[in-house]
Amino acid sequence: MNAAEHSLAHFLKAPTRFLFFTGKGGVGKTSLACTSAIALADGGKRVLLVSTDPASNLDEVLGVRLTAAPTAVPDVSRLAALNIDPAAAAAAYREKMVGPYRGKLPEAIVRSMEEQLSGACTMEIAAFDEFSKLLGEPAATAEFDHVIFDTAPTGHTLRLLSLPGAWTGFLANSTTGNSCLGPLAGLEKQRAVYESAVASLADGTQTTLVLVSRAQKAALVEAERTSNELAAIGVGNQRLILNGLFQAADSDPVALALERRGAESLSAASGFLTKLPLSRVPLRSHNLVGIPALRALVLADSSRDEVPPADGGSALPPTESLDELVTDLARSGRGVVMTMGKGGVGKTTIAAAIATELARRGHKVHLSTTDPAAHVAATAGQLAGLHVSRIDPQAETRAYVEQVLATAGKNLDANARALLEEDLRSPCTEEIAVFRAFARTVAQGKDAFVVLDTAPTGHTLLLLDATESYHREVARKTSDLPEEVRQLLPRLRDGDFTRVVVVTLPEATPVHEAAALQDDLRRAQIEPFAWVINQSFAESGSHDPLLVARGRGEAPFIREVVAKHSRRTALAPWVTEEPTGPERLRQLFHTASEEVL
C-alpha cells in the first residue's frame, strides 16, 4: 500500500462534511455510500444520506421506506436518509412557480405556464432545487455532522453538478422575464442558494468527491473522464475507491479470467490510479443488502471472503439463450430493438451482441445509443452490414439551434430574434435536440433494424415520459412538428415495430429496479418483449468457491424473473474473454452447459 492508498475505514476517520459518491452505473456507489454513512453514524456522527438518483434503490439496500424528508434508519442510531423524488419535486416546483398567478391571470395563461413547466428539464431543475437546499442552505442540514450524496450514474451526475454554474450564468445574462422554466423571478429568488451550492462544491475543506469504479476498462475510463470534467467545474478534492476486486483461489479458468481482466484493466489505468488517494474493497460472496452486510463491509481488507465449500448450487428454472431470442427478433426483418435497464447491467454489451448477430445473419443494422457515457462503438467493433453511431448532445444542440434560427427566427425583428436566441441558450434546448435525434433514429426502423442502447433507467424514463411535452415545446419554437416526432409514441407502443429488451443482473436491486421500469413502461403502454439476465456466474462454469457462492445467490432472483416478471427470459453467462467485438460477443449466445467457455 503506497502513501496515497488507505483503507475505507482509514478514509472515514476524518472525512469532509459533504461526501459525493459517483461513478459509472453498477460499480457499487449506493453500497459504499450506505456503508460510509453507517460507519460514521456508528462512530458517533449525525449523518444524512441522500439519493439524487431518479432510479434510487436506497430503500431496498437500507430496508426502510424513504420519502423526500429525512427518515430514521432502523438499527443505525444517528442515521437518517431521504430520496429526492424528481417527479414529486417537479410537481411542487411547478406549483411554486404557477400558484402565485392563479386567480390573477387569465386561466388560459396559467394553463400555458403549466404546460411550459411539464418537460424533463423542469423535472431536473426541480430535483436540483431540492439538492441545492441541502448543499447551499446551512440551516437545512444544521442538525447533521455529515451529508452523504449517493448520486445518479455519471452522465446525470455531471449534468447535475454543472447546473449551478449553468443556471447562475443563465440568470445573470437574462434580459427577459421568462425561460423554459417559467418566470425568471422565481428562479432569481434561488440564485443565492445556487451560488452557495457552487461554492460548497468547489471548497475542498467542505466537499469530497468519491469516484467509485470496478477493475473494468469502461468503468475506469469513465471514472477518469468524470474526474477531469468535475475538476474543470471546480470540484478538486477527489479520491477513488476500487470496488469488487477479485483474486482467484485456484486454477479455475473462469476465476483466473476474472482476475486477469481486472489486472489488465488496472494496468491500463495505472497513470490515473496514481493521481488520486485510493482505497480498495474486495468482491464479496454475497449481495450487499441490509444493515449487517453493509456494516461488515467497512471492516473488510483486501483479502477474499471466507466462503463455505460448494454444495452443487441451486437448480435454475428453464430459460432461453440469447441465440433463440435473436432468432425471434430477426423474423420481422426490420424494426427497433431497445435495451433498457439500470446502469451497469450491460445494456451496451447486450445491444452490441444483438446488433452484431443480426448483421451476421445478413440484415442491415444501425446500432446507436442515447447514453451520454456509452462505449457502444468499442463494444460492437466492425462488421459488414453494421453501422454504429452515437447521439452526440453537443452536435445535436448546435444543429437544432441553427435550424430554429433559420426557420422560426428567419423573419423576426432584432428584439424578437434576441428573445429567441436567449430562449435557445437555456439548458432545456439540449434535451429537445437529443429527443429529436432519438425520434429520427427510431424512424429508421421502417427500413432496417435499429438497435438502441438506451441511457440508464432514470434518463430513459425522463425521455419517454417527456414525449407529449416535447410535442408542445418543439411546436412552440418551430413552425412545424417533424413527422418522426409525431410518430414516436405510436412506434414505441407498437409491439411489432419496437421490441424492448429489459436487461438486468441476477441480483436483488437490479431485478427489482428492472421490474419497476417494466411497470413504468406498461403505464406508458409499452410492453417489454423479453428480459435478459446478464453476467450469470451460475452459468459460467466456474468452480471457484467465491464465484460458486455468488452463483448460488443468483438462483432466487433468476426464479423471480421467470415466475413473476418476464414472459420470456434469456440468460447470458459471465464469459472468460471480455465481450468486445463481433467474435467475443458470440460467447454470450451460449451457456457453460453447452461447453463453449
Side-chain angles (χ1 to χ4, degrees), residues 319-585:
T319 55
E320 300 181 53
S321 69
L322 205 54
D323 188 75
E324 293 172 285
L325 213 60
V326 172
T327 296
D328 205 357
L329 289 170
R331 289 193 176 101
S332 65
R334 64 175 181 85
V336 175
V337 179
M338 295 175 61
T339 57
M340 300 182 70
K342 173 182 165 62
V345 298
K347 295 184 302 296
T348 299
T349 300
I350 296 302
I354 291 171
T356 54
E357 184 61 21
L358 287 170
R360 190 193 303 275
R361 298 185 186 190
H363 297 282
K364 182 181 176 183
V365 183
H366 179 193
L367 172 62
S368 188
T369 182
T370 63
D371 191 338
H375 49 281
V376 66
T379 303
Q382 297 182 338
L383 191 67
L386 176 66
H387 172 66
V388 182
S389 70
R390 182 175 80 90
I391 296 176
D392 182 336
Q394 292 183 345
E396 294 297 338
T397 301
R398 285 194 300 270
Y400 173 66
V401 168
E402 290 172 2
Q403 179 193 351
V404 172
L405 290 175
T407 54
K410 183 178 180 180
N411 297 316
L412 296 178
D413 60 32
N415 288 337
R417 186 177 175 87
L419 177 62
L420 178 60
E421 289 175 345
E422 182 175 288
D423 202 8
L424 289 169
R425 284 195 294 272
S426 78
C428 299
T429 297
E430 181 180 302
E431 293 283 352
I432 297 169
V434 170
F435 172 79
R436 284 163 58 99
F438 174 76
R440 287 198 307 272
T441 304
V442 167
Q444 295 177 24
K446 294 182 297 181
D447 306 311
F449 278 108
V450 173
V451 181
L452 272 165
D453 164 36
T454 58
T457 306
H459 182 277
T460 299
L461 290 178
L462 289 178
L463 194 66
L464 294 178
D465 285 347
T467 301
E468 292 178 355
S469 299
Y470 276 122
H471 283 196
R472 294 189 295 268
E473 183 67 15
V474 172
R476 186 173 69 87
K477 290 185 177 177
T478 59
S479 56
D480 64 321
L481 192 64
E483 181 63 19
E484 60 265 21
V485 174
R486 294 182 189 276
Q487 293 298 320
L488 179 59
L489 259 184
R491 283 171 174 155
L492 294 178
R493 290 169 172 165
D494 182 353
D496 293 327
F497 186 86
T498 299
R499 280 72 171 271
V500 173
V501 176
V502 176
V503 184
T504 189
L505 300 178
E507 300 171 10
T509 297
V511 165
H512 297 155
E513 289 191 358
L517 165 64
Q518 180 166 262
D519 290 341
D520 286 330
L521 289 170
R522 285 173 172 167
R523 278 193 287 273
Q525 301 175 49
I526 299 171
E527 181 64 32
F529 171 76
W531 284 42
V532 173
I533 302 175
N534 195 24
Q535 299 177 20
S536 170
F537 283 111
E539 285 294 296
S540 69
S542 176
H543 301 292
D544 181 275
L546 190 150
L547 299 185
V548 169
R550 289 191 68 88
R552 287 201 304 269
E554 294 174 0
F557 305 108
I558 296 173
R559 288 196 292 267
E560 179 182 339
V561 170
V562 172
K564 292 179 59 177
H565 303 311
S566 180
R567 295 183 303 175
R568 57 189 307 178
T569 306
L571 197 59
W574 192 92
V575 292
T576 54
E577 297 293 332
E578 190 162 1
T580 56
E583 295 307 316
R584 289 183 176 181
L585 286 167

Side-chain angles (χ1 to χ4, degrees), residues 38 61 115 160 226 252 303 335 356 385 427 440 477 493 562 566:
I38 291 168
V61 173
E115 285 189 0
L160 184 66
T226 302
D252 174 74
S303 63
T356 54
R440 287 198 307 272
K477 290 185 177 177
R493 290 169 172 165
V562 172
S566 180

Side-chain angles (χ1 to χ4, degrees), residues 84 88 118 153 176 202 211 225 518 580:
I84 294 177
S118 62
T176 69
L211 294 155
R225 184 181 70 84
Q518 180 166 262
T580 56

